[in-house]
Structure formats: structure tokens, C-alpha cells
Amino acid sequence: VQLQASGGGSAQAGGSLTLSCTASTSGRIFSSHIMGWFRQAPGKEREFVACIRWGVGNTYYSDFVKGRFTISRDSAKKSVYLQMNSLKPEDTAIYYCALAKRGYSRNHNEYDVWGRGTQVTVSS
């Protein structure tokens, strides 16, 4: 499976952006798989943002986005979304979507497939 992320851009602090990530039509996502979003700011480690269990839709968030970001998925479209509200300048980063085949994890090393990143820039 291949992943394609889109939807990044620029926003003012307090604004909103929605990121999308679509899996290739040739790939299959199983109910046990986890789709996640990570981000990496310049000079910083890649960090977990949110993830969703594909089958039942359980969601998990990092503390710094909880209440502001919402992850969701559309199984028919093989897509996962990240709705980002109340954006802050510190949310500025390249955002990546990824797939973990071995179950829930916040560790980027345990994700098997990565999409190309999409830049999110939030100005104050």
C-alpha cells in the first residue's frame, strides 16, 4: 500500500486546516491496522499526533492536540483525515500519515508505511 497526504498549507493562529491521506487503490487496509499522523518541526524529532484503529475507529491523541485536532477515517475512500482547529504557531511542522500493521503505537519506528509529508505553517 502507498499513502498520499494532502491538505497542508498556511493558516493564522486560531484557524483551521484539514489534512487528508489516501491509500492506493491497490493496497488493502485491514481492520487491525492503525493509521496515524505524525509531525516533524525543523530541528526536532518526529512526534506522534494522533492515530485511529481502522476497523473499530478507536482514536488516540497526543496531549498537545487533544481537544483541538480530530482524526477520522472513511473506509470506502481508504482515507484518513486530520481536522486541525485552534491552530497554534507551535503546530508548524511537516505532517506525515503512516500505517502500522502490528497494532496501536505512538512510536514512529513501529509504522510500516509512510506518505510524503505535507507542510503546515501557522502564523501568529
Side-chain angles (χ1 to χ4, degrees), residues 25-54:
T25 54
S26 60
R28 183 174 177 183
I29 305 176
F30 292 88
S31 60
S32 61
H33 289 174
I34 300 291
M35 291 290 287
W37 288 96
F38 289 78
R39 68 187 188 186
Q40 188 165 18
K44 294 189 176 181
E45 296 284 324
R46 188 168 298 190
E47 61 183 2
F48 171 80
V49 175
C51 68
I52 186 167
R53 192 176 298 276
W54 194 255

PDB file of all heavy atoms in Angstrom, residues 25-54:
ATOM      1  N   THR A  25      -5.223   2.433  -4.344  1.00  0.00           N
ATOM      2  CA  THR A  25      -6.335   1.516  -4.586  1.00  0.00           C
ATOM      3  C   THR A  25      -5.871   0.070  -4.602  1.00  0.00           C
ATOM      4  O   THR A  25      -6.644  -0.844  -4.334  1.00  0.00           O
ATOM      5  CB  THR A  25      -7.022   1.851  -5.900  1.00  0.00           C
ATOM      6  OG1 THR A  25      -6.041   1.872  -6.950  1.00  0.00           O
ATOM      7  CG2 THR A  25      -7.683   3.219  -5.831  1.00  0.00           C
ATOM      8  N   SER A  26      -4.588  -0.126  -4.872  1.00  0.00           N
ATOM      9  CA  SER A  26      -4.076  -1.496  -4.934  1.00  0.00           C
ATOM     10  C   SER A  26      -3.762  -2.060  -3.563  1.00  0.00           C
ATOM     11  O   SER A  26      -3.512  -3.254  -3.411  1.00  0.00           O
ATOM     12  CB  SER A  26      -2.818  -1.535  -5.802  1.00  0.00           C
ATOM     13  OG  SER A  26      -1.820  -0.702  -5.256  1.00  0.00           O
ATOM     14  N   GLY A  27      -3.741  -1.172  -2.558  1.00  0.00           N
ATOM     15  CA  GLY A  27      -3.398  -1.636  -1.223  1.00  0.00           C
ATOM     16  C   GLY A  27      -4.626  -1.951  -0.399  1.00  0.00           C
ATOM     17  O   GLY A  27      -5.703  -1.435  -0.665  1.00  0.00           O
ATOM     18  N   ARG A  28      -4.439  -2.774   0.588  1.00  0.00           N
ATOM     19  CA  ARG A  28      -5.547  -3.124   1.455  1.00  0.00           C
ATOM     20  C   ARG A  28      -5.218  -2.721   2.875  1.00  0.00           C
ATOM     21  O   ARG A  28      -4.106  -2.951   3.354  1.00  0.00           O
ATOM     22  CB  ARG A  28      -5.836  -4.625   1.385  1.00  0.00           C
ATOM     23  CG  ARG A  28      -7.037  -5.023   2.227  1.00  0.00           C
ATOM     24  CD  ARG A  28      -7.399  -6.470   2.033  1.00  0.00           C
ATOM     25  NE  ARG A  28      -8.509  -6.858   2.909  1.00  0.00           N
ATOM     26  CZ  ARG A  28      -9.005  -8.082   2.989  1.00  0.00           C
ATOM     27  NH1 ARG A  28      -8.499  -9.048   2.240  1.00  0.00           N
ATOM     28  NH2 ARG A  28     -10.015  -8.342   3.796  1.00  0.00           N
ATOM     29  N   ILE A  29      -6.180  -2.143   3.541  1.00  0.00           N
ATOM     30  CA  ILE A  29      -6.035  -1.785   4.947  1.00  0.00           C
ATOM     31  C   ILE A  29      -6.936  -2.702   5.741  1.00  0.00           C
ATOM     32  O   ILE A  29      -8.140  -2.759   5.513  1.00  0.00           O
ATOM     33  CB  ILE A  29      -6.400  -0.310   5.195  1.00  0.00           C
ATOM     34  CG1 ILE A  29      -5.582   0.606   4.281  1.00  0.00           C
ATOM     35  CG2 ILE A  29      -6.144   0.048   6.653  1.00  0.00           C
ATOM     36  CD1 ILE A  29      -5.952   2.068   4.380  1.00  0.00           C
ATOM     37  N   PHE A  30      -6.348  -3.422   6.665  1.00  0.00           N
ATOM     38  CA  PHE A  30      -7.091  -4.378   7.465  1.00  0.00           C
ATOM     39  C   PHE A  30      -7.626  -3.709   8.737  1.00  0.00           C
ATOM     40  O   PHE A  30      -7.119  -2.683   9.179  1.00  0.00           O
ATOM     41  CB  PHE A  30      -6.190  -5.557   7.830  1.00  0.00           C
ATOM     42  CG  PHE A  30      -5.816  -6.416   6.655  1.00  0.00           C
ATOM     43  CD1 PHE A  30      -4.707  -6.123   5.883  1.00  0.00           C
ATOM     44  CD2 PHE A  30      -6.584  -7.519   6.306  1.00  0.00           C
ATOM     45  CE1 PHE A  30      -4.366  -6.901   4.788  1.00  0.00           C
ATOM     46  CE2 PHE A  30      -6.245  -8.311   5.214  1.00  0.00           C
ATOM     47  CZ  PHE A  30      -5.134  -7.987   4.465  1.00  0.00           C
ATOM     48  N   SER A  31      -8.640  -4.319   9.303  1.00  0.00           N
ATOM     49  CA  SER A  31      -9.298  -3.727  10.466  1.00  0.00           C
ATOM     50  C   SER A  31      -8.353  -3.547  11.646  1.00  0.00           C
ATOM     51  O   SER A  31      -8.546  -2.669  12.479  1.00  0.00           O
ATOM     52  CB  SER A  31     -10.501  -4.569  10.876  1.00  0.00           C
ATOM     53  OG  SER A  31     -10.098  -5.883  11.205  1.00  0.00           O
ATOM     54  N   SER A  32      -7.341  -4.364  11.727  1.00  0.00           N
ATOM     55  CA  SER A  32      -6.391  -4.278  12.838  1.00  0.00           C
ATOM     56  C   SER A  32      -5.305  -3.225  12.624  1.00  0.00           C
ATOM     57  O   SER A  32      -4.567  -2.900  13.551  1.00  0.00           O
ATOM     58  CB  SER A  32      -5.723  -5.637  13.053  1.00  0.00           C
ATOM     59  OG  SER A  32      -5.016  -6.017  11.888  1.00  0.00           O
ATOM     60  N   HIS A  33      -5.245  -2.698  11.439  1.00  0.00           N
ATOM     61  CA  HIS A  33      -4.217  -1.706  11.146  1.00  0.00           C
ATOM     62  C   HIS A  33      -4.519  -0.381  11.824  1.00  0.00           C
ATOM     63  O   HIS A  33      -5.671  -0.051  12.132  1.00  0.00           O
ATOM     64  CB  HIS A  33      -4.100  -1.479   9.639  1.00  0.00           C
ATOM     65  CG  HIS A  33      -3.479  -2.627   8.913  1.00  0.00           C
ATOM     66  ND1 HIS A  33      -3.379  -2.695   7.531  1.00  0.00           N
ATOM     67  CD2 HIS A  33      -2.896  -3.765   9.376  1.00  0.00           C
ATOM     68  CE1 HIS A  33      -2.781  -3.808   7.186  1.00  0.00           C
ATOM     69  NE2 HIS A  33      -2.495  -4.483   8.275  1.00  0.00           N
ATOM     70  N   ILE A  34      -3.459   0.363  12.051  1.00  0.00           N
ATOM     71  CA  ILE A  34      -3.545   1.685  12.647  1.00  0.00           C
ATOM     72  C   ILE A  34      -3.082   2.708  11.626  1.00  0.00           C
ATOM     73  O   ILE A  34      -2.025   2.559  11.023  1.00  0.00           O
ATOM     74  CB  ILE A  34      -2.650   1.788  13.896  1.00  0.00           C
ATOM     75  CG1 ILE A  34      -3.061   0.770  14.954  1.00  0.00           C
ATOM     76  CG2 ILE A  34      -2.685   3.211  14.451  1.00  0.00           C
ATOM     77  CD1 ILE A  34      -4.399   1.030  15.602  1.00  0.00           C
ATOM     78  N   MET A  35      -3.890   3.729  11.424  1.00  0.00           N
ATOM     79  CA  MET A  35      -3.470   4.857  10.600  1.00  0.00           C
ATOM     80  C   MET A  35      -3.160   6.026  11.536  1.00  0.00           C
ATOM     81  O   MET A  35      -3.976   6.377  12.390  1.00  0.00           O
ATOM     82  CB  MET A  35      -4.571   5.233   9.620  1.00  0.00           C
ATOM     83  CG  MET A  35      -4.795   4.200   8.539  1.00  0.00           C
ATOM     84  SD  MET A  35      -3.427   4.143   7.374  1.00  0.00           S
ATOM     85  CE  MET A  35      -3.706   5.654   6.475  1.00  0.00           C
ATOM     86  N   GLY A  36      -1.992   6.609  11.344  1.00  0.00           N
ATOM     87  CA  GLY A  36      -1.587   7.662  12.260  1.00  0.00           C
ATOM     88  C   GLY A  36      -1.082   8.906  11.549  1.00  0.00           C
ATOM     89  O   GLY A  36      -0.766   8.880  10.348  1.00  0.00           O
ATOM     90  N   TRP A  37      -1.050   9.968  12.302  1.00  0.00           N
ATOM     91  CA  TRP A  37      -0.432  11.216  11.854  1.00  0.00           C
ATOM     92  C   TRP A  37       0.721  11.547  12.797  1.00  0.00           C
ATOM     93  O   TRP A  37       0.570  11.466  14.016  1.00  0.00           O
ATOM     94  CB  TRP A  37      -1.434  12.363  11.868  1.00  0.00           C
ATOM     95  CG  TRP A  37      -2.465  12.299  10.785  1.00  0.00           C
ATOM     96  CD1 TRP A  37      -3.730  11.796  10.874  1.00  0.00           C
ATOM     97  CD2 TRP A  37      -2.323  12.744   9.430  1.00  0.00           C
ATOM     98  NE1 TRP A  37      -4.376  11.900   9.678  1.00  0.00           N
ATOM     99  CE2 TRP A  37      -3.536  12.492   8.758  1.00  0.00           C
ATOM    100  CE3 TRP A  37      -1.285  13.349   8.708  1.00  0.00           C
ATOM    101  CZ2 TRP A  37      -3.744  12.802   7.420  1.00  0.00           C
ATOM    102  CZ3 TRP A  37      -1.491  13.662   7.380  1.00  0.00           C
ATOM    103  CH2 TRP A  37      -2.705  13.392   6.745  1.00  0.00           C
ATOM    104  N   PHE A  38       1.822  11.926  12.205  1.00  0.00           N
ATOM    105  CA  PHE A  38       2.990  12.391  12.935  1.00  0.00           C
ATOM    106  C   PHE A  38       3.373  13.752  12.379  1.00  0.00           C
ATOM    107  O   PHE A  38       2.927  14.141  11.307  1.00  0.00           O
ATOM    108  CB  PHE A  38       4.164  11.417  12.760  1.00  0.00           C
ATOM    109  CG  PHE A  38       3.977  10.112  13.470  1.00  0.00           C
ATOM    110  CD1 PHE A  38       3.154   9.118  12.941  1.00  0.00           C
ATOM    111  CD2 PHE A  38       4.623   9.860  14.670  1.00  0.00           C
ATOM    112  CE1 PHE A  38       2.969   7.912  13.594  1.00  0.00           C
ATOM    113  CE2 PHE A  38       4.451   8.654  15.335  1.00  0.00           C
ATOM    114  CZ  PHE A  38       3.625   7.693  14.796  1.00  0.00           C
ATOM    115  N   ARG A  39       4.223  14.430  13.107  1.00  0.00           N
ATOM    116  CA  ARG A  39       4.719  15.702  12.577  1.00  0.00           C
ATOM    117  C   ARG A  39       6.168  15.890  12.984  1.00  0.00           C
ATOM    118  O   ARG A  39       6.637  15.316  13.977  1.00  0.00           O
ATOM    119  CB  ARG A  39       3.876  16.873  13.076  1.00  0.00           C
ATOM    120  CG  ARG A  39       3.996  17.176  14.560  1.00  0.00           C
ATOM    121  CD  ARG A  39       2.992  18.240  14.954  1.00  0.00           C
ATOM    122  NE  ARG A  39       3.196  18.699  16.326  1.00  0.00           N
ATOM    123  CZ  ARG A  39       2.377  19.533  16.946  1.00  0.00           C
ATOM    124  NH1 ARG A  39       1.292  20.015  16.325  1.00  0.00           N
ATOM    125  NH2 ARG A  39       2.619  19.911  18.183  1.00  0.00           N
ATOM    126  N   GLN A  40       6.850  16.699  12.208  1.00  0.00           N
ATOM    127  CA  GLN A  40       8.250  16.976  12.498  1.00  0.00           C
ATOM    128  C   GLN A  40       8.545  18.429  12.175  1.00  0.00           C
ATOM    129  O   GLN A  40       8.384  18.874  11.032  1.00  0.00           O
ATOM    130  CB  GLN A  40       9.164  16.062  11.687  1.00  0.00           C
ATOM    131  CG  GLN A  40      10.622  16.157  12.084  1.00  0.00           C
ATOM    132  CD  GLN A  40      11.431  15.003  11.540  1.00  0.00           C
ATOM    133  OE1 GLN A  40      11.033  14.308  10.613  1.00  0.00           O
ATOM    134  NE2 GLN A  40      12.611  14.781  12.129  1.00  0.00           N
ATOM    135  N   ALA A  41       8.928  19.148  13.203  1.00  0.00           N
ATOM    136  CA  ALA A  41       9.322  20.541  13.047  1.00  0.00           C
ATOM    137  C   ALA A  41      10.825  20.598  12.825  1.00  0.00           C
ATOM    138  O   ALA A  41      11.557  19.675  13.209  1.00  0.00           O
ATOM    139  CB  ALA A  41       8.930  21.331  14.288  1.00  0.00           C
ATOM    140  N   PRO A  42      11.315  21.672  12.228  1.00  0.00           N
ATOM    141  CA  PRO A  42      12.759  21.785  11.972  1.00  0.00           C
ATOM    142  C   PRO A  42      13.573  21.613  13.248  1.00  0.00           C
ATOM    143  O   PRO A  42      13.286  22.252  14.273  1.00  0.00           O
ATOM    144  CB  PRO A  42      12.906  23.195  11.407  1.00  0.00           C
ATOM    145  CG  PRO A  42      11.588  23.493  10.796  1.00  0.00           C
ATOM    146  CD  PRO A  42      10.580  22.820  11.675  1.00  0.00           C
ATOM    147  N   GLY A  43      14.563  20.749  13.190  1.00  0.00           N
ATOM    148  CA  GLY A  43      15.438  20.539  14.322  1.00  0.00           C
ATOM    149  C   GLY A  43      14.860  19.703  15.443  1.00  0.00           C
ATOM    150  O   GLY A  43      15.496  19.560  16.500  1.00  0.00           O
ATOM    151  N   LYS A  44      13.667  19.155  15.224  1.00  0.00           N
ATOM    152  CA  LYS A  44      13.025  18.364  16.272  1.00  0.00           C
ATOM    153  C   LYS A  44      12.789  16.934  15.802  1.00  0.00           C
ATOM    154  O   LYS A  44      12.802  16.643  14.610  1.00  0.00           O
ATOM    155  CB  LYS A  44      11.709  19.003  16.690  1.00  0.00           C
ATOM    156  CG  LYS A  44      11.869  20.353  17.374  1.00  0.00           C
ATOM    157  CD  LYS A  44      10.552  20.817  17.959  1.00  0.00           C
ATOM    158  CE  LYS A  44      10.722  22.107  18.728  1.00  0.00           C
ATOM    159  NZ  LYS A  44       9.435  22.559  19.340  1.00  0.00           N
ATOM    160  N   GLU A  45      12.544  16.066  16.771  1.00  0.00           N
ATOM    161  CA  GLU A  45      12.216  14.685  16.469  1.00  0.00           C
ATOM    162  C   GLU A  45      10.806  14.589  15.894  1.00  0.00           C
ATOM    163  O   GLU A  45       9.948  15.434  16.161  1.00  0.00           O
ATOM    164  CB  GLU A  45      12.302  13.847  17.742  1.00  0.00           C
ATOM    165  CG  GLU A  45      13.680  13.762  18.361  1.00  0.00           C
ATOM    166  CD  GLU A  45      14.585  12.823  17.603  1.00  0.00           C
ATOM    167  OE1 GLU A  45      14.079  11.794  17.100  1.00  0.00           O
ATOM    168  OE2 GLU A  45      15.790  13.107  17.493  1.00  0.00           O
ATOM    169  N   ARG A  46      10.593  13.536  15.125  1.00  0.00           N
ATOM    170  CA  ARG A  46       9.240  13.263  14.639  1.00  0.00           C
ATOM    171  C   ARG A  46       8.383  12.849  15.834  1.00  0.00           C
ATOM    172  O   ARG A  46       8.800  12.004  16.640  1.00  0.00           O
ATOM    173  CB  ARG A  46       9.275  12.163  13.587  1.00  0.00           C
ATOM    174  CG  ARG A  46       7.960  11.939  12.883  1.00  0.00           C
ATOM    175  CD  ARG A  46       8.135  11.054  11.658  1.00  0.00           C
ATOM    176  NE  ARG A  46       9.019  11.689  10.678  1.00  0.00           N
ATOM    177  CZ  ARG A  46       9.183  11.220   9.442  1.00  0.00           C
ATOM    178  NH1 ARG A  46       8.521  10.149   9.034  1.00  0.00           N
ATOM    179  NH2 ARG A  46      10.007  11.822   8.610  1.00  0.00           N
ATOM    180  N   GLU A  47       7.205  13.434  15.953  1.00  0.00           N
ATOM    181  CA  GLU A  47       6.376  13.157  17.112  1.00  0.00           C
ATOM    182  C   GLU A  47       4.974  12.715  16.721  1.00  0.00           C
ATOM    183  O   GLU A  47       4.430  13.130  15.689  1.00  0.00           O
ATOM    184  CB  GLU A  47       6.297  14.383  18.036  1.00  0.00           C
ATOM    185  CG  GLU A  47       5.701  15.618  17.418  1.00  0.00           C
ATOM    186  CD  GLU A  47       5.713  16.812  18.370  1.00  0.00           C
ATOM    187  OE1 GLU A  47       6.210  16.692  19.504  1.00  0.00           O
ATOM    188  OE2 GLU A  47       5.202  17.879  17.964  1.00  0.00           O
ATOM    189  N   PHE A  48       4.420  11.903  17.566  1.00  0.00           N
ATOM    190  CA  PHE A  48       3.076  11.372  17.362  1.00  0.00           C
ATOM    191  C   PHE A  48       2.036  12.472  17.551  1.00  0.00           C
ATOM    192  O   PHE A  48       2.133  13.275  18.488  1.00  0.00           O
ATOM    193  CB  PHE A  48       2.837  10.256  18.373  1.00  0.00           C
ATOM    194  CG  PHE A  48       1.426   9.759  18.434  1.00  0.00           C
ATOM    195  CD1 PHE A  48       0.939   8.866  17.499  1.00  0.00           C
ATOM    196  CD2 PHE A  48       0.574  10.197  19.452  1.00  0.00           C
ATOM    197  CE1 PHE A  48      -0.359   8.393  17.566  1.00  0.00           C
ATOM    198  CE2 PHE A  48      -0.721   9.731  19.533  1.00  0.00           C
ATOM    199  CZ  PHE A  48      -1.192   8.840  18.582  1.00  0.00           C
ATOM    200  N   VAL A  49       1.058  12.487  16.659  1.00  0.00           N
ATOM    201  CA  VAL A  49      -0.033  13.449  16.770  1.00  0.00           C
ATOM    202  C   VAL A  49      -1.336  12.737  17.130  1.00  0.00           C
ATOM    203  O   VAL A  49      -1.977  13.052  18.124  1.00  0.00           O
ATOM    204  CB  VAL A  49      -0.213  14.235  15.460  1.00  0.00           C
ATOM    205  CG1 VAL A  49      -1.431  15.152  15.553  1.00  0.00           C
ATOM    206  CG2 VAL A  49       1.046  15.029  15.130  1.00  0.00           C
ATOM    207  N   ALA A  50      -1.725  11.765  16.301  1.00  0.00           N
ATOM    208  CA  ALA A  50      -2.992  11.063  16.520  1.00  0.00           C
ATOM    209  C   ALA A  50      -2.991   9.793  15.688  1.00  0.00           C
ATOM    210  O   ALA A  50      -2.238   9.684  14.713  1.00  0.00           O
ATOM    211  CB  ALA A  50      -4.182  11.932  16.137  1.00  0.00           C
ATOM    212  N   CYS A  51      -3.833   8.852  16.083  1.00  0.00           N
ATOM    213  CA  CYS A  51      -3.989   7.654  15.265  1.00  0.00           C
ATOM    214  C   CYS A  51      -5.385   7.089  15.454  1.00  0.00           C
ATOM    215  O   CYS A  51      -6.097   7.452  16.406  1.00  0.00           O
ATOM    216  CB  CYS A  51      -2.922   6.615  15.554  1.00  0.00           C
ATOM    217  SG  CYS A  51      -3.019   5.840  17.183  1.00  0.00           S
ATOM    218  N   ILE A  52      -5.754   6.207  14.550  1.00  0.00           N
ATOM    219  CA  ILE A  52      -7.081   5.612  14.575  1.00  0.00           C
ATOM    220  C   ILE A  52      -6.967   4.151  14.182  1.00  0.00           C
ATOM    221  O   ILE A  52      -6.223   3.790  13.272  1.00  0.00           O
ATOM    222  CB  ILE A  52      -8.040   6.382  13.627  1.00  0.00           C
ATOM    223  CG1 ILE A  52      -9.468   5.864  13.746  1.00  0.00           C
ATOM    224  CG2 ILE A  52      -7.546   6.335  12.179  1.00  0.00           C
ATOM    225  CD1 ILE A  52     -10.490   6.795  13.085  1.00  0.00           C
ATOM    226  N   ARG A  53      -7.686   3.326  14.914  1.00  0.00           N
ATOM    227  CA  ARG A  53      -7.728   1.910  14.569  1.00  0.00           C
ATOM    228  C   ARG A  53      -8.727   1.737  13.445  1.00  0.00           C
ATOM    229  O   ARG A  53      -9.893   2.119  13.572  1.00  0.00           O
ATOM    230  CB  ARG A  53      -8.136   1.086  15.791  1.00  0.00           C
ATOM    231  CG  ARG A  53      -7.920  -0.411  15.613  1.00  0.00           C
ATOM    232  CD  ARG A  53      -8.256  -1.184  16.878  1.00  0.00           C
ATOM    233  NE  ARG A  53      -7.428  -0.818  18.009  1.00  0.00           N
ATOM    234  CZ  ARG A  53      -6.226  -1.303  18.256  1.00  0.00           C
ATOM    235  NH1 ARG A  53      -5.697  -2.195  17.429  1.00  0.00           N
ATOM    236  NH2 ARG A  53      -5.548  -0.917  19.321  1.00  0.00           N
ATOM    237  N   TRP A  54      -8.265   1.156  12.347  1.00  0.00           N
ATOM    238  CA  TRP A  54      -9.046   1.199  11.122  1.00  0.00           C
ATOM    239  C   TRP A  54     -10.410   0.540  11.265  1.00  0.00           C
ATOM    240  O   TRP A  54     -11.398   1.050  10.774  1.00  0.00           O
ATOM    241  CB  TRP A  54      -8.262   0.538   9.986  1.00  0.00           C
ATOM    242  CG  TRP A  54      -8.828   0.834   8.645  1.00  0.00           C
ATOM    243  CD1 TRP A  54      -9.553   0.001   7.850  1.00  0.00           C
ATOM    244  CD2 TRP A  54      -8.749   2.099   7.968  1.00  0.00           C
ATOM    245  NE1 TRP A  54      -9.929   0.665   6.702  1.00  0.00           N
ATOM    246  CE2 TRP A  54      -9.445   1.946   6.751  1.00  0.00           C
ATOM    247  CE3 TRP A  54      -8.182   3.333   8.265  1.00  0.00           C
ATOM    248  CZ2 TRP A  54      -9.562   2.979   5.825  1.00  0.00           C
ATOM    249  CZ3 TRP A  54      -8.297   4.354   7.350  1.00  0.00           C
ATOM    250  CH2 TRP A  54      -8.979   4.176   6.153  1.00  0.00           C
TER     251      TRP A  54
END
